[in-house]
Amino acid sequence: MARIGLREVASRAGVSIKTVSNVVNRTGSVTTATRERVEEALAALDYRPNLAARHLRRGSSGLIAVALPELTQPYFAELAAELVRAAKARGRMVLLSQTEGAEEAERTLLEGHDLPILDGLVLSPLALDAPALRERVDRSPLVLLGEHVGDAVFDHVTIDNCAAAADATAHLLGLGRRRVAAIGAQVSGPNETALLRLAGYRDALAAAGVAHDEELVAAVEQFHRPDGAAAMARLLELPEPPDAVFCFNDALALGALRTLAVRGLRVPQDVAVVGVDDIEEATYTTPSLTTIAPDKQALATAAIDLLLREGAAAGLPPQTVTVPHRLAVRETTAGRHPALGAEDIPLSPTAGSRPAPDPEEQP
Amino acid sequence: MARIGLREVASRAGVSIKTVSNVVNRTGSVTTATRERVEEALAALDYRPNLAARHLRRGSSGLIAVALPELTQPYFAELAAELVRAAKARGRMVLLSQTEGAEEAERTLLEGHDLPILDGLVLSPLALDAPALRERVDRSPLVLLGEHVGDAVFDHVTIDNCAAAADATAHLLGLGRRRVAAIGAQVSGPNETALLRLAGYRDALAAAGVAHDEELVAAVEQFHRPDGAAAMARLLELPEPPDAVFCFNDALALGALRTLAVRGLRVPQDVAVVGVDDIEEATYTTPSLTTIAPDKQALATAAIDLLLREGAAAGLPPQTVTVPHRLAVRETTAGRHPALGAEDIPLSPTAGSRPAPDPEEQP
DNA sequence: TTGAAAGCGCTAACAT
DNA sequence: ATGTTAGCGCTTTCAA
C-alpha cells in the first residue's frame, strides 16, 4: 500500500496541496465548502502526516528527550510517568534515555549526537558538573531536574532541598529525638543535592540547639537501598547509636529499615526514620515511611513548561523554579497505625497549599 | 549560528556532498586520504546530521515506541528500563507512552496518529482485545508484550504464564500447605494473563491431588497493592482461611503481606506467599518475597529483535517467543533469613539455564 | 481564497 | 573513487 500524502488527498479533493496543508494545519483561510471537501478526502484516504517531513521543514520535532539516571529507581520512574503525562498535555512526546550515571551518556545527550531534532532536553544530571554543562552552547533548550549544577546558568526545577531536609530533621527533633543521624552524605561527585540536604539537616540541629555529632553523618556511594542498609549498620555500631535517622532519599531509608528489622530494633520506638521522595512504596512498606513528598507533578509540569518557553523565545535568562514539598507523616515516625489517619504537613515554598491529597494512605 | 550541513562540510573539505555522506555513513568507498580530510572537516565544523532529513529520506526513524500501562508500576518501569537498554544496543531510541489502561490511548498508538515515523511499536495491551488489534493493518511492526491477545496473529513475547503459576503453586504445596489460595483472578476484561495463571494454579493443585476450593480464588479489579490487600482480607474471613497464597503479581503479594502484617499473622509460618514479576522491592521487603522471576532482559531483547526482524522483512508469520522464568525463593516461603542464601530454582522453558544470578539478595 | 514552485538536509541512482 | 542530480513529504513564500 502506497503511503497517502498531501498530493493524493489534494487530487482526490480536487484542490491543491497547499489547500490541504492549510486544512490540516488550520493555517490560512479556506472556505467552508472546500474545507469540507478536503476533510472528507482526508478521512477517506486515512491521511496521516509524515512527521519526518514536517519536522525537516519546520525544524522542530514535537519530541522532548528525558534523560534520567535509571528507570528502575522508583523515584525516577514516577517522575518519568509525570513527565510523559505533562509532555502529552502539551502535545509533545517523550524520548526516554537512561544515563545510568555515566558521564559519557549524559554528555552524548547534551551534544545531541545521533538524536532526532528535539524540542528540548530534560536532564537529571548525576555525573556532569557545571563546566561540562557550560560547554553546551546553542543547542536545543535544556532544563535541569533536581539541584542545579554550579551557578544558575541553566533553567532548572527543584524542591527547596535545604528546607526539605530541615523540615524532616525538625520533625524528628520535635519527636524528642536527640541522636538524629543523617544517611546520604556523599564523599565524591558534584552532588549538590546531598550537600544541600546535609546543610538543611545541620541547620535544623542548630536551630534546635542540638549539638552536632559528626559521627552521626553517614556517607554513601549511591542513593540505593544497599547503601542505606550498610550505613544504618555502621551507625548502629556507634557507642551511642542514633534514636532517629534522616535519610536523603526513600531508597536509603528503606535499606535502613531493613537493617533495623534484621537487628530486631523497633521503628519508631527505638529508631525513627524519615526519607525523601515519597515513592509509592513509602506508603506501603511496614512500617510505612515518613518522608518528604516533592510535588512530582509540579516538578514535571514546570520542567516541560520551562523547556517550551525556552523553545519559544531563545536567549531568556535562566530561570529556577522551586516547587512545593510537604512532610508525609507515617508510621516510621508517628508510630500510630495509618488507619487512624496520617497527617500531611504542607510546607514551603507555599505553606498551606498542599499539592495533592494522598488518596491511599492505607491499603 | 547557521546549522552545519553536508554542504558546508563538503566545501571545507573540498569534496562533494556525496563523499561526505559516504564517510558519515561508511557507505561506498573513499580513499584514506579523502576520508581523513573529510573527517577533519566534520570535526572542525562539529557536523551533526539532521535526523529528520535522514529519516524522511530513509523512511525509517530509528525510533521505537514503547507503550506500557503505567511507569509507576515497578514491573513496567523495570521492563521499560530493559527495553530502553535493548533498543539502545540496537541503535534505536525509545519513545515512551503510558496508556494508563485506556483503550483510547492504546488505539491511538496503534493508529500511529501524530506519531513520528516509527520503526515499530512494543505494546503491553491492557484494554484492547483481539478484534481491536486485528483492525490494525499495514502499519509499522508491532510486538505485543505479555500474553498474546486471542489467537497468535501478532508477534508477541511472554513467559509461560501457565507453567509459572504451576511452579509457584507447586512450591507452596511442596511446603506442605494444603489451603493454597490464589489472588488475581479477574472478573472483567480480556486479561489472558490472569486466565493462564489461574489455569496453572489449578493444574498444580490437581497434579498434587489437592481438592480445589473455589472460595480460595480471590478476584481483583486491578493488579495493584490495594487489590491484593483487600483480597487477602477477604480470604482471612473464610471459615477455613488459607495457609498459603499465590498472588498473580508482586504488587498484589505486597498488598497481601501488608494485610497479613496488620492482622498480626506470621509469614511464612501462618501464611506463605508467592508473587510473580520479581520487582526489585520483592528482594527488600520484610519478609522478602518469594516470586516468579521472568527474565526481563530476555523479554526486552526478544521484543526489540522481533520488531526489527519484522521491519527488515515484512509479511513474516507471527512469532511467539517464550522467555525463561525461575522461582526466586525468599523469606515469604523459606522462612529462613536470606543471609543464609536463597535458592533460585531455574525453570522452563530451559530448565537449568538461569538467566542471570541475583547479585544482591541481601542488602 | 487558492495554486505553483522552491527547498528543508539528506540518501541513492546514475554518471563520470 | 568521486561527483551530479533527483527527490523523500512537507511548509512556505509569492503569484494569481
Side-chain angles (χ1 to χ4, degrees), chain A residues 160-183 194 196-213 216-217 243-248 272-276 290-292 325-327 329 333 347:
Chain A
D160 185 336
N161 276 301
C162 188
D167 293 337
T169 309
H171 173 61
L172 291 168
L173 292 166
L175 262 34
R177 312 286 166 144
R178 282 303 171 265
R179 297 282 297 163
V180 179
I183 294 181
L196 285 167
R197 292 188 184 165
L198 188 57
Y201 159 79
R202 291 193 169 129
D203 286 356
L205 288 179
V210 174
H212 175 258
D213 182 350
L216 288 176
V217 175
D243 57 9
V245 194
F246 166 50
C247 300
F248 288 8
V273 178
V274 177
V276 180
T290 294
T291 187
I292 294 287
H325 63 270
R326 63 191 168 79
L327 181 68
V329 178
T333 60
L347 294 169

Side-chain angles (χ1 to χ4, degrees), chain B residues 106-129:
Chain B
E106 294 188 3
R107 192 184 310 279
T108 304
L109 281 163
L110 284 173
E111 302 295 339
H113 240 306
D114 275 344
L115 284 180
I117 291 187
L118 295 175
D119 285 0
L121 171 63
V122 176
L123 173 68
S124 176
L126 218 59
L128 290 182
D129 48 7

Side-chain angles (χ1 to χ4, degrees), chain B residues 3-4 20 31 57 68 85 87 102 107 116 138 144 154 160 186 197 199 205 278 320 346 348:
Chain B
R3 241 194 102 73
I4 302 296
V20 181
T31 37
R57 190 61 244 240
L68 300 172
R85 212 169 278 142
R107 192 184 310 279
D138 62 32
L144 263 25
F154 301 100
D160 185 337
Q186 294 207 301
R197 292 186 184 167
L205 289 179
D278 193 30
T320 295
S348 61

Side-chain angles (χ1 to χ4, degrees), chain A residues 19-37:
Chain A
T19 306
V20 181
S21 173
N22 275 338
V23 170
V24 170
N25 298 295
R26 318 191 192 309
T27 50
S29 31
V30 190
T31 32
T32 317
T34 354
R35 148 163 301 118
E36 272 164 8
R37 226 147 24 90

Side-chain angles (χ1 to χ4, degrees), chain A residues 3 43 110 116 121 129 139 155 164 233 283 299 354-355:
Chain A
R3 244 194 99 73
L110 284 173
L121 170 64
D129 49 6
R139 299 261 169 275
D155 283 345
T283 306
L299 227 37
R354 153 183 329 195

Side-chain angles (χ1 to χ4, degrees), chain B residues 10 51 56 74 146 188 196 200 230 235 246 260 296 298-299 323 326 352 356:
Chain B
L51 293 214
L56 171 59
S188 63
L196 285 168
L235 289 171
F246 167 49
L260 290 167
K296 298 191 196 83
L299 226 38
V323 306
R326 63 191 168 80

Side-chain angles (χ1 to χ4, degrees), chain B residues 73-104:
Chain B
Q73 291 177 242
Y75 175 66
F76 290 118
E78 292 176 15
L79 207 52
E82 290 295 347
L83 284 164
V84 168
R85 212 169 278 142
K88 190 178 181 187
R90 303 286 184 285
R92 307 299 198 284
M93 299 216 61
V94 165
L95 204 56
L96 197 73
S97 289
Q98 294 182 101
T99 57
E100 321 205 359
E103 194 174 329
E104 182 51 29

Side-chain angles (χ1 to χ4, degrees), chain B residues 269-295:
Chain B
Q269 293 90 334
D270 299 321
V271 182
V273 178
V274 177
V276 179
D277 281 351
D278 193 30
I279 62 177
E280 199 198 0
E281 190 178 345
T283 306
Y284 289 103
T285 188
T286 307
S288 58
L289 177 65
T290 294
T291 187
I292 294 286
D295 185 344

